[in-house]
Every structure is written in structure tokens, then in C-alpha cells.
Amino acid sequence: MNANRKSMLTAAIVNRAVRDSFIKLNPKSMMRNPVMFVVEVGTVVVLLMTLLPGYFAAKDDIGFNLTVFFILLVTILFANFAEALAEGRGKAQADSLKNAKKEIQARKRVGAQSVVIVASTELRKGDIVVVEQGEMIPGDGEVIEGLASVDESAITGESAPVIKEAGGDFSSVTGGTRVVSDRIVVRIASDPGESFIDRMISLVEGAKRQKTPNELALNTLLTSLTLIFLIVVVTLGPIAGYLDIELQVPVLIALLVCLIPTTIGGLLSAIGIAGMDRVTQFNVLAMSGKAVEAAGDINTMILDKTGTITYGNRMASEFVPVGRESVGELAALAAIGSVRDETPEGRSVVELAKKLGLAYDEAIAAGGEFIEFKAETRMSGVDLTDGRQVRKGAVDAVKKWVAAQGGTIPADLDAGSDSIAREGGTPLAVAVDNRIYGLIYLKDTVKPGMRERFDQLRKMGIKTIMCTGDNPLTAATIAREAGVDDFVAESKPEDKIALIRREQAEGKLVAMTGDGTNDAPALAQADVGLAMNSGTVAAKEAANMVDLDSDPSKIIEVVSIGKQLLMTRGALTTFSIANDIAKYFAIIPAMFILAIPEMSVLNVMGLGSPRSAILSALIFNAVIIPLLIPLAMKGVAYKAMSASKLLGRNIVIYGLGGVIVPFIGIKLIDLIVHLWV
């Protein structure tokens, strides 16, 4: 759990929620919640009967009608308060982001070297800007040149700066963050109004929150129940009149309000909003409530290795020559092939050569044509001006490239590669034309605590699969150390998509975490795609969740919150329907007991009088909503257990409890109400 979670409630949030409770009385707002809209219509009817007693009711009923009106009004306000309170924290965060968002002066590059000062609002997608130490990054984009330490506390809440660099999966930057050291050149990736902060503001405000499929289905059920009971109550009046039983309209409205599922109707929206807000409290930005809900039903989790399970900063630690080649010659060629490689691995090769004092001629590579790394070729390098082609990359890819040019494979190449892989490292082969000179030993380390995290997922019934472009031996070593259930080695972007589709074809919901551009297609295909904020813009746009802390193990909290959301909705629905039973025993005998004395046998609670029984049931119906707000906001605690055990547990606690609590509550309220009715 996040130790830095902010308090759920503050005085400002509560005060704002109270104000919004009255604003939400607007019929246009209420119509979005059919259950509570019916209650509001009933409230207006009772108000008219109170204000115009000569037309609608006897004067001696004014006091009773006025009391019913205030109880119904309070019921609606409590329901609105629940929703407003759930929205409150998101609005407070949105206000904070709006305050943090301000116009920034940007140094836009024009031509090869010259720059002009422009406002950040004038920047468009594709523009190039230069940002130096102490300056704010004017917009979302990707670092295309340089390396810098960036303070992202305005977005993530974490004070520790992060390293952003050209190339690799740590190149994306967010507008409004500040460069702490060094200098970077950024290519803007969004137009004004479409930045990451703009998206965060609209999402945390809840303005664009769409109901999830589960929520829509439950809403349909509640609407259907409301319509059925409305028909029942409307027809009950004429039927009672035919039997010479007078049923007053406020009594019928009270019956309707107690029959329809007002408790869950008043809390349903708050549960969904609070679920998304709980995700936000863990510094995860959910693009939709559907993603949070789907997380609760995840069966399989697919994780990218680099930057997700491991730190991802694979650094060159050793040059391993093969055949009759020397360390010096291997290091010189590896460095020449990496001089213009801006990835962390490429720079580490040059740094290792310098550290070991192995000489190389940088000028040889200066005039050559740099060949960028591609997922398809899994190699990079440089074509020199003297015609030689230098390549470094995955061992099998370099072997195929050399073989295609008629070269031979050194006998000790595979042994050296396997030795590096068994130690958990990544071997890169270095070749020039048709000749392999040796291997570069890249080291990567598993993030601490990953094994324990995966054990937790296993207990939740979630299978973990690691996808990596590494060879099978390296993948097996990392998988064993991290504790994942399965792994796929030498995987390409299309392999990840194929794996996700295969799992989905078996009826499973799949989650995917990643941070690179090559992860974007898989993140889009997955039911829940969690992108790291430190990753590329493409990855964040493809995913339906973004982890601002760039902690891939955060998916465990997301899954727990998703399960909490589903459990909370189910538990409160069970409670709401169950507690209607007690209200039936309170109101129905009260309606008919004067005309049909035999119905007193149904007055099992021994309520004082018909009117006190009706008012007591209405008051309980109103006060139960705010009493359940903390549970709706916090969520039902998730415990790893089978679905059948979970169902049985909820039926006992919320089903049986939903029957018992109203009997006790209504009786206690009646003892007080009966004194003055």
C-alpha cells in the first residue's frame, strides 16, 4: 500500500460536497439516476400537498405531509452528498493540477541551431524545444537529444528526480515538470489542450467518467425494479379505494420510496467514482472506470521484462572475445558501433571501453551512416566510409546476418553466450561484415520484492507471464529469480499480441504492463493495459491506465481495488435489497391496520402507530445512506478466497445483516418518533 496516500476527507471536500448536494437537485442531474429521480418527483408531490392543503389534502394532514417531505428531501440530499463526496477528492486534485498548469516560455528550435522564445500554448505537435537546467518543460514530448534529471513531483507527488534520456524507454517527458540538471532537446508530442495534465484534469474531475458495463447492467436492474414498484403503488390506490380503504398519497409515496432500492440507488454512482479515486490515490491514472472494473476479474498478467521486472538499465560490464580475436580489437569495434548510439546500453559500451583504457578511433564512425536498432532486426551499428559494416545486437540475429554474408560462426560463440545468459546477463554479439569478434556482457537486475509480489498475485489466482526479447537462457534465469509462472523468450511485439489474444480466446481477461513503444500494441490489445509514466508517449497513449510512479508491481494494488469495487457494489446491492424486507413489515401493516385490524399480526416489530411506523421506515431509509458512505468510499476489504466462499460470506454479512439491521434501526427510531406523533 502507498504510505503517502492522502486523507480521504478534508473540511474543504466535505463543505464542497454539501454545496454540490443542493446543486445536484437540478432535475437534469437527477434524471441520470432514475431511482433517486422518482424519489425527487415524489418529494415535489408531497410539497405541493403541503403548500396547497385545500386542493390536495385535509388541513390536519399538513404536519404529517411536511414531515414526509423533509425526510424525502434529506434522503435525496444524502444520496447527492454521497456522490459529491466521492467526486470531491478528484475535483480537489483537478484544482491543484489547474493551479500547477501555467503558461511557460519555451525555446523553440528554428532551423539547425537558432531558437526563438514562444509561449507554450503556441507549440504544436512535432515542434522541437530546448530545455536547460532550472527551466520548465513546456509540453508533453520525447527527449531526442541529451540526458537530464527531471523533477516530476507536480505530477507524481514524488520529490526524487528521475533521469530522462534520448532513446530507450525512458525518453518521454511531461509538460509542467522541471529540468533539475543538464540539458535536453524535446520533440513536442501533443497540441494545446491535449497534454497529459489536461487529460488528468478531465479524468480526475469525473466529467468524462462513463459508466462501466457492470454498472450499466445494475442501473438497468434498479430502473426495472423502480418501474415495477411504481406500477404497483399507482394501482394500489384505486384497488384500496374499491375496498373502501383510504390510502393517502404521501403514504403511497412513502411506500414507493421504501420499496424501490434507494440505498444502492443513492450509492451506486459514489461506489464507481470512489473506485477510480482509490486508484488515483495510488498514483495510477485510470482512463476509464471499465479498466478498474476489468482489473478485478483479471486471470492472466503479462509483463515486459526490461524496465518492468528488472531495472532496465542494462550496462556493459565486460568484453568477451571469441575465436582468436583480442579484447582490445573487440572493444574498439564495439565502441565505434556505439559512438552514435544514444541508448543507455550504447553509451555504456563507450564508457566501458574508456574505463578499461581500451583505445578506439571515434573519427572512424563520425562520417559513417548510423543504423538504428529495430525490433525486427534486433541489431544496430554503423556503415563506415571505408565500406565496412559494424553491427552489434542479439546473438542469433548477428549470426544470421553474418551467415547471410558467407561468414563462419566461431566455435566458442554459443558457449560464451550461454555462460553470460546463465548468469542472468544479456549477451550482445559484435561483428564486422562476415566476421564475429566477440560478445558484450550486459547486466540487468531484478527489482527487489518482485518475487513476493508475484506470490501475492498467485494467491489471487492470477497467472504471470514474462515477455522478453532476450534468449531463452537469460529469460529463464530472470524468470526464476523474479518468480513468474511462465515466460516467453525472444518475443517481438506481434508475439505479445498473439499471446494476449490466445489467452483472451480461452475466455480470460488479460492485464499487460509495459513502458516501451514496442509494448504499445499489446497494451492496446489487453483488457487492462498499465503503462509506466517513465515510458514512451506511444505506450501511455495505448494503455488504459498510467502508473505515475512507474512501478509495475502497482498492478497488484489495481487488481485489489478492482476486486474491491466489484465486491463493494455487490455487497451494498445485497444489503439494499435485503433491508427492504424490514421496511415492508413496517409500512404495509401501517397502511391497512386501521381498515383491516387482522393485519396487526404482521406488525412483528410492535411499532407504536401507523404514522410513526411510516415515518420510522422513511427516516431509516434516509439515514442508512450516509451511514454507508464510508463503506462505499473505502470499499469492502478484499480477501483472497474462492468465489463460492466469497459469495457465502457476503450473503451472511450483507444479506442477513441487511435484514437484521433495519428491524433494529426502525424499532429504535419508532421509540423516539412515537413520542411526538
Side-chain angles (χ1 to χ4, degrees), residues 161-184:
V162 294
I163 301 298
K164 297 291 183 179
E165 54 194 347
D169 293 337
F170 301 93
S171 59
S172 75
V173 290
T174 305
T177 57
R178 184 171 59 87
V179 173
V180 178
S181 66
D182 301 298
R183 170 186 179 274
I184 51 176

Side-chain angles (χ1 to χ4, degrees), residues 579 582-584 586 605 607 612-613 616-618 620-621 661-671:
N579 72 23
K583 289 181 279 187
Y584 303 158
M605 287 183 276
L607 302 179
S612 72
S616 298
L618 278 179
F620 177 84
N621 191 65
V661 170
F663 273 95
I664 298 172
I666 291 173
K667 178 60 179 177
L668 292 175
I669 294 171
D670 181 74
L671 292 175

